[in-house]
Structures are given as C-alpha cells and as structure tokens.
Amino acid sequence: MGSVRRGVILAAFAALPAPALADICAQVRPNWTGTEATALTEAVALFGTPPSLLLIVATALVVRFRSQWGGLAVVVAWAMWTSAVALNGNAQLAQAATEGCVGSPALFLIGVALICAGTVLYTLPKSTRL
C-alpha cells in the first residue's frame, strides 16, 4: 500500500505547475518577472497591444466627432479584436496560463464592453438620446 500512496503523491506533485517549467513563459511573455499574472495585469497588457491602442485612438476620434457610422465601425472592430483575444484556442496560451504568466482576459473584455456601450450611447442622434 505504501508504494501506491507514494506513486499517487509523486504524480500529484508532478502535475503542479512550477516556475522552473517556464520555457513557455519565455516564449509567450519574454519580459515576465516570475510573479503570477492577474486579471488586472493581463488587462493592462492587452490594452497595451498595438490593435488596442489603435482602437482606443479611433474610439476617441469617433466620440469627439460623434460619428454614428464611425461608432459602428469602431464597435465592430472592438468585437473582432476581443473575439480574437477571447476565442484564441492556442495550446501555448493555455499552458502559459497554467504556469501563471498569462492571466484571465475577463477584465479586458469587461472594459471593452463598457467602452463600446459608451460609444454607442454617446453617438446616438439627439432625438433618441436619453
């Protein structure tokens, strides 16, 4: 019975993610410091990507000029970008999330949803505004 128990304990320890196995993190996040990524750090990282920065500037221009068609285009572009982020079935990202160098994109997705809702509400015509 002791050898079975020892095998189960060793298998359990082998299944735990460890920073020593961070080869995937060196590929996915080269500047990773070893601290576990949270939803906030992942949101900052995703908002700092070139597509997000471009969409933030485009959203600011659309809101500034209150363009309905521009608002539609920006919201569709945000939807495409967030679906690319959220539906990425990459095995490397799943393994990196297990290792702790990639966090949950939930906060990023909530932020983008709020940006899109604000853009739609702000660019409504004056006759239909609340």
Side-chain angles (χ1 to χ4, degrees):
M1 188 65 165
S3 63
V4 172
R5 186 179 313 137
R6 183 179 23 206
V8 170
I9 291 171
L10 288 176
F13 279 120
L16 291 174
L21 302 174
D23 289 336
I24 192 69
C25 291
Q27 294 173 1
V28 175
R29 298 276 165 90
N31 297 330
W32 183 53
T33 61
T35 59
E36 187 171 346
T38 62
L40 181 62
T41 57
E42 187 68 17
V44 168
L46 288 172
F47 274 120
T49 59
S52 293
L53 293 174
L54 179 71
L55 287 170
I56 288 170
V57 169
T59 303
L61 289 173
V62 163
V63 167
R64 165 63 180 92
F65 294 112
R66 282 203 172 173
S67 170
Q68 291 176 336
W69 289 105
L72 174 67
V74 166
V75 168
V76 168
W78 273 116
M80 289 170 44
W81 173 234
T82 55
S83 65
V85 167
L87 300 177
N88 190 359
N90 193 350
Q92 284 185 337
L93 285 179
Q95 188 177 3
T98 303
E99 294 293 329
C101 58
V102 173
S104 171
L107 195 58
F108 171 73
L109 298 174
I110 291 169
V112 169
L114 290 174
I115 289 171
C116 290
T119 302
V120 168
L121 291 176
Y122 192 76
T123 59
L124 284 174
K126 288 185 179 184
S127 62
T128 58
R129 251 184 253 160
L130 300 174

